[in-house]
Amino acid sequence: DKIIDFKNNTKKSELRNKLNINPEQILITFVSEPHSHDYGTDGSFPLYKGFTEIDVLDGIVKTINNLVTQIGTNIHLKIKLHPKELNHSFGPILKTANFSYEIIQETNQWELVFASDIVIGIESILLVESAILGTPTISFQPGLATLDQLYCNKIGLTIPIYSKNELSNTIKILLTKKNSNLTRCGNYILSYSSRKVINLINSLI
């Protein structure tokens, strides 16, 4: 309910000005996570899922580089770090970027994702909040070697992507505004969520 109230009482244009995003720019936000810390960096770790946050950012940077080269789109990337990522290892990848970017740690997360044109992450709860705010939201898990456990992918709230080629094609579709059938986020933009939960509990007592 608070997310919906925020959306209804916030102007996206004002947030984009606050973030220094020009009207002609496309803002893509990467919500990073310490995936390698939680699941390991290769197959020698029992919880390894087939990729790390480094692989995810590498795929994003290469995709944006190709889009800038192919269609000349003015894209700005914001990289929202997780609190555990103070010593991130993104430098070598970002040196290859032929577009503008900014790494940020402390920010109002709802403002950031609401101002964005596309949000990309892995499994963060912020992906759910981003989708409810109406921003096209991608869960990018390249080379996923296990079952996708992210529930919002299963119900169509977020867009599951498992390869770099698929990421590129999906972003192209989203940027051309042909995204009406990619998510079902409109089904979840409902009010009085707390009251409905209370009513459900009462019905079970």
Side-chain angles (χ1 to χ4, degrees):
D1 288 340
K2 288 183 178 179
I3 295 173
I4 295 171
D5 287 342
F6 169 82
K7 179 181 180 181
N8 292 338
N9 293 285
T10 304
K11 292 184 178 181
K12 182 176 291 193
S13 59
E14 293 179 356
L15 295 182
R16 291 175 69 88
N17 288 335
K18 181 178 178 180
L19 293 169
N20 297 316
I21 300 301
N22 298 326
E24 71 275 9
Q25 280 185 310
I26 299 296
L27 174 57
I28 296 178
T29 293
F30 169 44
V31 180
S32 186
E33 300 173 49
H35 216 256
S36 55
H37 176 271
D38 295 335
Y39 299 103
T41 55
D42 56 47
S44 65
F45 294 85
L47 297 178
Y48 182 61
K49 290 193 172 186
F51 65 93
T52 69
E53 68 277 12
I54 303 297
D55 300 315
V56 173
L57 181 61
D58 181 66
I60 293 171
V61 169
K62 288 179 178 176
T63 295
I64 297 177
N65 278 343
N66 289 336
L67 288 172
V68 171
T69 300
Q70 293 173 7
I71 58 180
T73 306
N74 185 355
I75 297 176
H76 177 78
L77 175 68
K78 291 198 181 294
I79 302 165
K80 170 63 180 72
L81 297 180
H82 187 276
K84 293 182 180 179
E85 291 183 308
L86 293 177
N87 298 316
H88 59 83
S89 304
F90 295 152
I93 295 173
L94 292 173
K95 286 181 180 179
T96 69
N98 60 7
F99 52 87
S100 64
Y101 64 85
E102 179 185 12
I103 298 175
I104 52 179
Q105 181 72 55
E106 299 296 333
T107 187
N108 184 307
Q109 297 189 131
W110 288 359
E111 289 184 357
L112 176 61
V113 297
F114 188 45
S116 301
D117 295 287
I118 298 172
V119 169
I120 306 173
I122 305 172
E123 298 175 309
S124 172
I125 189 64
L126 186 56
L127 299 186
V128 178
E129 297 168 340
S130 171
I132 292 176
L133 284 168
T135 302
T137 303
I138 294 171
S139 167
F140 183 36
Q141 303 180 67
L144 181 65
T146 63
L147 291 177
D148 187 347
Q149 300 296 329
L150 195 61
Y151 185 70
C152 54
N153 281 342
K154 297 179 182 180
I155 63 175
L157 185 60
T158 49
I159 306 167
I161 299 294
Y162 307 110
S163 72
K164 293 178 182 179
N165 286 338
E166 191 179 2
L167 178 68
S168 178
N169 292 335
T170 300
I171 290 180
K172 286 179 181 178
I173 293 172
L174 293 174
L175 292 182
T176 54
K177 309 300 181 183
K178 298 176 182 179
N179 59 318
S180 58
N181 295 321
L182 289 180
T183 70
R184 297 195 294 272
C185 62
N187 298 339
Y188 302 93
I189 310 302
L190 306 173
S191 299
Y192 310 111
S193 303
S194 301
R195 171 53 56 187
K196 290 174 182 176
V197 172
I198 292 172
N199 290 341
L200 175 61
I201 292 173
N202 286 334
S203 72
L204 297 174
I205 295 176

